[in-house]
Structures are given as structure tokens and as C-alpha cells.
Amino acid sequence: MTRPKFLVMALFSLLIALGVNAQQFQSAPPAGPSITDKPVWALEFVKVKPGMFAATMGYLDDNWIRLRAEAKRQGVVLNYNRIAGEGAVLNYNRGAGEDSSTDWDILLMTEYKNQAAYDGREKLFDSILKRLPDNTSEVIQGYKKDELFQSVKTRVLQDFSENGYPQVRLLTRK
């Protein structure tokens, strides 16, 4: 009888030494959101054409931001940001023919509710665009998107942040 007691005591001591606690032997905690329920971030890096920074910002106000504000109201978009990079500030007064050494001037960031919301974004934005009033600012009237800026690269990331630790996974790169 002393030998089985000794083995039980040895096993118990080993478990304590390894830091195993009783909670690890209980049933697994409920699973978190599935991969398809995690937020998706779309990042678009934009290069502004020389001398067109103000017109580009007006165009983005009237189009990009209005669409995302309505999509956020509908719960499809969780967040959106427009960030002017250092190059945009330095190149604000850049004239035609003057080139910039930066790759991008403006970063457009959109956080979608999940993968399905991201996948359906074009259809959603088209429907929103048809319903929004056509009252654009005087700043951009007469300009087309291609005359103002071009998208130089995009990244799509899925947010896997847990317990306050940011973590993302790259889904696509263009």
C-alpha cells in the first residue's frame, strides 16, 4: 500500500512542480468568435497627383467618407480613418512636374464587421451611393478620381486581437 501512495504523491508533486492547476482539467472554455466573425481591415495607400491635395481631400470627404459614414450607421463598417502621411504635408504645395520621394500621401483605413461585410462592400457602397443626395462640394466639381490621385497599394488584414494584445493576419496584398 505504501508504494501506490508514494506513486500518487510523486505524481501530485510533479503536477504541482509543473504548474498544472485544477482548472486545466475542467471542460474547455467556450470558443471565441470564429475566423469569419473577426473584423477585417482594408488599407489603401493613395498617391496624390501634384497640386491636387486639397481637391483630393474634398473628393474623399464627398465620396469615401460619406459612404463609410452611412455603412457605419448600418453596422457594416465599424471604423474608418483617413490619415495624411508626412509626404502629403510636405507635398501640399508641390507643383505639376515636381515628384515626391514618398510612396503614398494618404492612408485610407476601413474596419469591416467581418469577412462577409468586407466581401459585400462593393454592392453595399453602390446601393448607398444611389441613395445619397448628390450634393458634393464645390472643391471637387469637374474633377474625376483619376485626375486627383491613384491607389498605389492595398492591404487587407484580419484582426485577431485577444485580451488587449493586437494581432493581425495579412489576407491580401496588391
Side-chain angles (χ1 to χ4, degrees), residues 74-91:
Q74 293 181 21
V76 177
V77 167
L78 301 177
N79 201 357
Y80 57 94
N81 295 291
R82 176 184 63 185
I83 301 170
E86 184 178 316
V89 175
L90 296 175
N91 297 321

Side-chain angles (χ1 to χ4, degrees), residues 2-126:
T2 57
R3 187 169 184 188
K5 284 184 184 179
F6 174 75
L7 288 174
V8 169
M9 291 299 285
L11 180 60
F12 182 72
S13 299
L14 180 63
L15 291 175
I16 290 175
L18 292 175
V20 176
N21 61 38
Q23 291 178 351
Q24 290 175 316
F25 293 107
Q26 295 177 355
S27 63
S34 71
I35 290 175
T36 57
D37 292 334
K38 299 273 189 173
V40 172
W41 281 91
L43 310 176
E44 182 178 1
F45 298 84
V46 171
K47 183 72 171 173
V48 177
K49 303 247 174 138
M52 296 295 190
F53 185 79
T56 296
M57 295 300 276
Y59 180 89
L60 293 172
D61 285 345
D62 290 347
N63 293 283
W64 190 86
I65 287 181
R66 282 189 347 156
L67 291 174
R68 275 135 187 93
E70 177 59 22
K72 184 174 182 177
R73 190 187 69 71
Q74 293 181 21
V76 177
V77 167
L78 301 177
N79 201 357
Y80 57 94
N81 295 291
R82 176 184 63 185
I83 301 170
E86 184 178 316
V89 175
L90 296 175
N91 297 321
Y92 176 73
N93 291 319
R94 184 177 70 205
E98 295 178 38
D99 197 11
S100 163
S101 61
T102 59
D103 289 346
W104 57 275
D105 298 312
I106 300 172
L107 171 60
L108 304 173
M109 303 169 43
T110 306
E111 181 183 17
Y112 295 91
K113 181 179 178 181
N114 53 31
Q115 184 68 47
Y118 173 75
D119 292 342
R121 72 194 181 285
E122 295 299 327
K123 184 177 179 182
L124 173 70
F125 290 147
D126 285 344

